[in-house]
Structure formats: C-alpha cells, structure tokens
Amino acid sequence: EPADIVIVSQGGAPKDLNLYQTQKALENAKYAAETALIYFDRKISYGELFTRIEETAKAYSHLGVKAGDMVTICSVMTPETIYSFYALSKLGATLNMVDPRTSPNGLREYVEELKSRFVVVIAPAYVKMREAVLGTGVEKVIVNSPADSLPGLKRLLYNLTTKKGDYGPNVVEWKKFIADGAKEPTPMAMPFDEKHPILIMHTGGTTGKPKGVLLSDKNLNALAVQYVAKRPSGRQEKFL
C-alpha cells in the first residue's frame, strides 16, 4: 500500500555527485524557461540560474577561493546565496552559514573557528561584520544588497530609502565581485569526494553554546532524491 514517507538510502543515485553536479544531472537544463526561483515577484528561470551559478563560480575563483576553503556567508536566502551554494560546491569549498542576527562577537567566533579568508554579508549586517573581522585572517568581504536581485521598481525604492554603507578597502560589492570575475576561465568542477563537507549550519544554542552541524553533498542530495521519489510529477511546486 502507498507509504506516507519514502526513505531513500544515500547509497542510491546520485551518490557519486557533489551538489553542483547533481543540479546538472537532474536535467533541469531541459526546462530552461521554467521558473527556478521567485524573489519578491521576480521570477528567475533555470536558464538564468545556471548562468548565475557559473558567473559566481568564476568570481570566487578570481578572488582566490579554492578546494578546501571555508567561505562564511552571513545572509538570508537571497538568490546570491543560492548561487554561492552551487558555485562553491563546484570549486570544492565549504559554506559556513551564519545568521545575520548574530552579535559581532559571535560572528568573530564563527569566522575564526573555521579560518575563513572570505566572507559574504548581507548589507544590513555589514557594520557588525566589519567589527567582527578586525584582526582576523579575512582577506575580502563581499557585500550583497537585498536589492541586487529585486525587480526594477522594488529595487529603485529600496535604494532610494536605504543609506549606502561606508565600506572599507577590503570590501567589494556583489555586482563588482561578479564583474571582476567575468574574464576568468570557467573553472572545472571538482570531482566528488564523499568526505567533503558542503555546508556548516549552526544550532540556536538553546541548550548552551551553538554547535556547528556538518552536512555533506550526500546529505543534501538525499533530500532531493527523497522528494523526487515521493513527488515524481512535482515540477513547479513552490517551497518557502
């Protein structure tokens, strides 16, 4: 009889693909015109998503990100954060995801603990991050505005009503970050490594000090496989 939940072993497909390779293997390219993301009424197609991921991978490569690096991302789930997910997976790097509401001292601990050389921060949290990275090994801070992917009128209104930050010399804004990497050769995708951590999330610390939760490519791929097994005809369903 039909089950309510389908559990798919991580030993099944796509066991030998990293997160970046998986989104290619799912044949989404055949649906390039379909909507992949919706951000404040702006629809981003799979075709544009793939293009942005490759642009972002080139920009990180130009910056000097390489396999094994830990890139701290202090942001909400903007399209740029999603591009970074797949781009850094392609390069063999790891995302250290941090809540923008974290205190400067907390941010500093997260950055230093993982020896991040590069930080991406949502613009409203920049002042805290500027304080947090002083004296650390952070080489470059990339600032992502919530307006970077907003549709035209909303972007205009946001920029008119929001004061631009006073950024230091080690800061680059997202659009310039992407432009700087435009002439970089397209980097090759790193081969699958089952021990490679793609993501570190942090618990809320309700029972004490927040703890880092390490997730592999297999962990995230298993979620996708389970969903497909449960909803094989679920294309264009929406998730928050």
Side-chain angles (χ1 to χ4, degrees):
E1 62 186 61
D4 293 326
I5 300 175
V6 177
I7 304 297
V8 180
S9 165
Q10 290 183 8
K15 66 178 181 178
D16 293 332
L17 300 175
N18 63 33
L19 190 66
Y20 167 82
Q21 293 165 331
T22 299
Q23 59 93 8
K24 292 289 189 180
L26 289 177
E27 299 186 339
N28 284 320
K30 294 196 304 185
Y31 305 95
E34 287 189 0
T35 299
L37 305 172
I38 301 175
Y39 182 65
F40 288 95
D41 298 329
R42 181 188 166 192
K43 294 183 178 181
I44 298 171
S45 68
Y46 280 101
E48 181 178 354
L49 174 63
F50 298 148
T51 298
R52 301 302 180 202
I53 289 169
E54 298 301 338
E55 289 177 348
T56 305
K58 290 168 64 175
Y60 278 118
S61 180
H62 178 76
L63 202 61
V65 175
K66 59 184 185 303
D69 278 344
M70 298 277 186
V71 178
T72 294
I73 297 185
C74 177
S75 182
V76 295
M77 200 56 69
T78 64
E80 290 72 26
T81 299
I82 296 172
Y83 306 152
S84 292
F85 242 89
Y86 290 104
L88 292 170
S89 172
K90 181 177 186 178
L91 297 176
T94 300
L95 293 86
N96 175 34
M97 291 296 298
V98 177
D99 189 331
R101 297 170 296 182
T102 305
S103 69
N105 286 339
L107 292 174
R108 185 181 185 88
E109 285 185 16
Y110 290 140
V111 168
E112 289 192 315
E113 182 180 20
L114 296 172
K115 298 180 173 58
S116 289
R117 296 190 298 130
F118 307 104
V119 169
V120 181
V121 62
I122 193 81
Y126 169 71
V127 173
K128 289 194 295 184
M129 185 60 75
R130 181 181 61 191
E131 179 183 340
V133 302
L134 286 174
T136 69
V138 171
E139 299 172 14
K140 187 69 71 174
V141 176
I142 304 158
V143 176
N144 165 213
S145 168
D148 284 338
S149 289
L150 284 178
L153 181 58
K154 285 185 171 67
R155 181 172 62 251
L156 176 63
L157 291 173
Y158 180 92
N159 290 332
L160 287 175
T161 57
T162 305
K163 183 180 178 181
K164 187 174 180 179
D166 183 16
Y167 301 137
N170 68 329
V171 175
V172 60
E173 294 182 76
W174 183 268
K175 290 185 177 180
K176 186 175 188 307
F177 163 68
I178 294 298
D180 287 347
K183 295 183 179 179
E184 185 80 10
T186 300
M188 297 290 292
M190 293 297 293
F192 173 77
D193 178 358
E194 65 178 9
K195 296 182 179 179
H196 171 246
I198 179 59
L199 175 66
I200 298 174
M201 299 290 289
H202 298 273
T203 65
T206 53
T207 59
K209 187 175 181 179
K211 302 168 185 65
V213 179
L214 197 66
L215 297 174
S216 69
D217 290 296
K218 280 188 174 182
N219 293 140
L220 299 186
N221 287 344
L223 291 176
V225 173
Q226 289 174 22
Y227 172 75
V228 171
K230 180 65 175 175
R231 304 294 294 269
S233 60
R235 291 199 69 88
Q236 294 299 286
E237 288 188 334
K238 296 180 177 65
F239 293 88
L240 290 176

